[in-house]
């Protein structure tokens, strides 16, 4: 190789090095870590913004199912703009009122951390405002009766023409099928989703549960659907429809009973106390009282004071690995070796005797004393806590699961905070908005209407109540 060639090669090597050097410099920029991912924020816990910050929700929900969903999204940091009918608002504002003239707890506990705008969605100007909101928001959530959103002119086609990124999320009572046009409330869903037929005692009628698995349960499902759709939109750039039928949501929560339905084809359900009592099974999963839904038998047992205190009970699980400890604690050490009691299959036909015997022991102590003793031995038990006890429980306040907020119309009230704890996104639980409290703020700051335009909108009647508003007060 000539010197010239050598020099040229060295030069080009040096140049290549320079390029490499330059290329290497790039990742040093503050936005990306060496693995190509954005650098983790160095800001302290909770100060890097909340999980859904920047997400705008056009909240067309009412009553319980939809508002449960949007309240959770608000706790996660989304800007939830609740659209309500002028002068009336969400019907629950006036339902089950405890303080005259103030928004009910039904409403305030389901609409925290949201903003409220009043818009008559059937008014021409109201429709124009809604169209602007559709363009600005990421998700529209609604739980109107089937067809109501379309009747407002907010069809999927119309929404997507305005904003192809918009996710449209709905709760309906039923999915496509014979009942799709039906209006549905909580207990209808509990009945149609398989919960009621499997809840209660064998010799009594079907029962609905206190937990609102039809409404709040479906709201939870919908929130997961929305967050998933937002995630998929990062790749596709496209919004999609999210539908949660209340019947489906309840069935999802009652899936162990569909499991048992299929097991019935292969013989009796041996963990049901009905089996031990020698009562034959029918064709469908029966009601199982307080039997545990899993493989470890359990029952609700009386504790000291049960005669006067309706909640002096404890749930007691005879978990197999701690059977020896249970026998010792209740004073039946001989059961550890007795072939009738020593193994789980031997115990199944004797569950009633076993729980009656354990109850003789639990009745001598308060539920908290039973809990203390059992916990020492890893025996799984749970006190039946009243809502009063839950409201006063300091640990639930400390974790933000029960939160006290102040409301201008009703003073201080308790609400349930975010049950989902994100280590870098602490929930911001704020009081519910008054009807239309943020109407002008949203018109100006979110939708960009000028002062003059806002004045015109006010005169148009699109955001104000008619002269004689319909009464919101309900039973
Ligand atoms: N401006 C003008 N009109 C409005 C409005 C607004 N801002 N917001 C709602 N409305 C209208 C709707 O357009 C609808 O009118 P339309 O029937 O003439 O089209 C009307 O108010 C009532 O809506 P609807 O959903 O039918 O309310 P409802 O009180 O009769 O029924 C439910 C309540 C809950 C039974 C029903 O909404 C439903 O089945 N929802 C789906 C299932 C569900 O979520 N159930 C659980 C509730 S917790």
């Amino acid at each position: 190789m000539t010197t010239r060639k050598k020099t040229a090669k060295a030069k080009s090597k040096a140049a290549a090095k320079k390029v490499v050097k330059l290329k290497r410099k790039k990742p040093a920029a503050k936005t990306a870590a060496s693995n190509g991912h954005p650098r983790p924020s160095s800001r302290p816990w909770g100060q890097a913004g909340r999980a859904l910050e920047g997400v705008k929700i056009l909240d067309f929900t009412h009553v319980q199912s939809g508002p449960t969903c949007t309240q959770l999204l608000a706790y996660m940091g989304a800007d939830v703009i609740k659209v309500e009918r002028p002068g009336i608002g969400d019907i629950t504002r006036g339902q089950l009122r405890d303080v005259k003239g103030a928004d009910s707890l039904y409403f305030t506990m389901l609409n925290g951390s949201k903003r409220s705008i009043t818009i008559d969605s059937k008014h021409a100007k109201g429709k124009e405002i809604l169209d602007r909101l559709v363009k600005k928001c990421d998700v529209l959530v609604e739980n109107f009766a089937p067809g109501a959103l379309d009747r407002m002119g907010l069809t999927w086609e119309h929404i997507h023409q305005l904003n192809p990124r918009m996710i449209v999320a709905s709760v309906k009572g039923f999915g496509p099928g014979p009942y799709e046009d039906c209006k549905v409330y909580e207990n209808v869903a509990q009945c149609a989703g398989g919960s009621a037929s499997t809840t209660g005692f064998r010799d009594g009628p079907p029962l609905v549960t206190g937990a609102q698995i039809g409404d709040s349960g479906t709201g939870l499902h919908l929130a997961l659907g929305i967050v998933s759709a937002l995630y998929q939109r990062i790749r596709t750039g496209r919004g999609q429809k999210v539908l949660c039928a209340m019947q489906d949501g309840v069935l999802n929560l009652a899936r162990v009973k569909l499991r048992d339905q299929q097991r019935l084809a292969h013989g009796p359900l041996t963990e049901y106390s009905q089996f031990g009592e020698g009562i034959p099974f029918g064709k469908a999963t029966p009601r199982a009282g307080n039997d545990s839904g899993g493989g470890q038998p359990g029952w609700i047992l009386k504790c000291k004071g049960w005669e006067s205190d309706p909640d002096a009970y404890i749930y007691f699980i005879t978990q197999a690995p701690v059977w020896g400890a249970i026998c010792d604690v209740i004073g039946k050490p001989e059961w550890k070796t007795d072939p009738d009691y020593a193994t789980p299959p031997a115990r199944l036909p004797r569950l009633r005797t076993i729980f009656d015997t354990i109850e003789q022991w639990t009745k001598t102590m308060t539920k908290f004393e039973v809990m203390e003793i059992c916990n020492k031995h890893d025996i799984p038990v749970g006190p039946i806590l009243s809502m009063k006890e839950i409201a006063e429980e300091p640990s639930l306040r400390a974790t933000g699961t029960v939160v006290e907020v102040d409301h201008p119309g009703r003073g201080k009230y308790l609400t349930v905070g975010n049950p989902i704890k994100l280590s870098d996104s602490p929930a911001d639980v704020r009081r519910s908005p008054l009807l239309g409290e943020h109407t002008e703020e949203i018109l100006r700051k979110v939708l960009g209407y000028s002062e003059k335009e806002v004045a015109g909108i006010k005169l148009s009647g699109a955001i104000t109540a008619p002269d004689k508003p319909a009464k919101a007060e309900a039973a």
Side-chain angles (χ1 to χ4, degrees), residues 104-414:
S104 71
L105 285 167
Y106 194 1
F107 177 84
T108 54
M109 291 180 70
L110 284 160
N111 291 285
S113 303
K114 304 179 185 177
R115 298 200 273 177
S116 166
I117 180 172
T118 48
I119 306 174
D120 180 349
S121 63
K122 289 171 181 161
H123 188 286
K125 191 74 188 170
K127 284 177 189 290
E128 183 198 303
I129 300 169
L130 276 172
D131 280 358
R132 274 212 200 189
L133 268 171
V134 167
K135 286 183 195 159
K136 285 275 176 193
C137 291
D138 300 279
V139 187
L140 185 157
V141 193
E142 64 94 21
N143 68 310
F144 291 126
L149 195 67
D150 286 359
R151 287 195 290 278
M152 285 180 187
L154 290 171
T155 59
W156 167 255
E157 292 72 24
H158 179 72
I159 292 169
H160 258 232
Q161 199 191 356
L162 295 176
N163 180 1
R165 291 173 61 79
M166 176 66 96
I167 290 155
V168 180
S170 306
V171 170
K172 294 289 165 259
F174 294 93
Y179 307 121
E180 65 186 303
D181 291 329
C182 298
K183 283 186 176 180
V184 168
Y185 282 105
E186 169 70 48
N187 289 343
V188 176
Q190 287 200 25
C191 294
S195 176
S197 69
T198 52
T199 303
F201 289 89
R202 203 175 46 251
D203 48 4
L207 276 188
V208 293
T209 70
Q212 303 285 281
I213 58 176
D215 280 340
S216 286
T218 309
L220 250 171
H221 283 96
L222 192 72
L224 175 61
I226 289 170
V227 173
S228 303
L230 280 168
Y231 188 72
Q232 192 173 6
R233 196 182 72 173
I234 296 170
R235 293 197 311 274
T236 62
R238 201 171 52 227
Q240 62 183 297
K241 288 190 224 179
V242 180
L243 170 67
C244 279
M246 293 168 73
Q247 181 185 38
D248 301 3
V250 171
L251 176 60
N252 188 36
L253 298 176
R255 69 171 54 227
V256 297
K257 300 298 179 181
L258 182 57
R259 173 200 68 193
D260 293 349
Q261 178 63 42
Q262 296 171 85
R263 289 171 60 218
L264 265 181
H266 304 282
L269 307 171
T270 52
E271 78 283 14
Y272 280 50
S273 32
Q274 168 172 356
F275 170 71
E277 289 161 31
I279 298 166
F281 285 80
K283 289 198 169 77
T285 309
R287 293 187 267 290
N290 287 319
D291 281 334
S292 127
Q296 308 287 355
W299 198 259
I300 287 184
L301 306 178
K302 291 169 182 156
C303 293
K304 197 174 180 177
W306 66 273
E307 299 91 338
S308 54
D309 177 357
D311 299 308
Y313 289 83
I314 195 149
Y315 199 92
F316 199 107
I317 298 178
T318 55
Q319 193 204 14
V322 289
W323 176 245
I326 294 170
C327 297
D328 288 336
V329 156
I330 65 167
K332 279 280 182 191
E334 65 276 18
W335 275 1
K336 287 191 281 187
T337 46
D338 183 334
D340 279 352
Y341 294 93
T343 64
R347 290 196 288 275
L348 284 177
R350 297 174 181 81
L351 289 178
R352 178 46 48 93
T353 313
I354 290 170
F355 284 119
D356 283 351
T357 309
I358 300 174
E359 191 171 62
Q360 293 313 310
W361 176 74
T362 58
K363 268 162 61 176
T364 64
M365 281 162 290
T366 69
K367 58 192 175 189
F368 297 111
E369 287 165 348
V370 174
M371 176 102 176
E372 206 180 321
I373 294 174
C374 287
N375 278 347
K376 278 189 202 139
H377 299 279
D378 269 349
I379 302 167
V381 291
I384 308 305
L385 293 183
S386 68
M387 274 300 159
K388 184 172 186 300
E389 287 165 327
I390 287 172
E392 292 163 0
E393 172 57 46
S395 65
L396 293 175
R397 300 285 184 103
T399 57
T401 296
V402 175
V403 185
E404 190 177 76
V405 280
D406 209 353
H407 187 276
R410 61 176 307 114
K412 289 192 180 357
Y413 68 96
L414 290 184

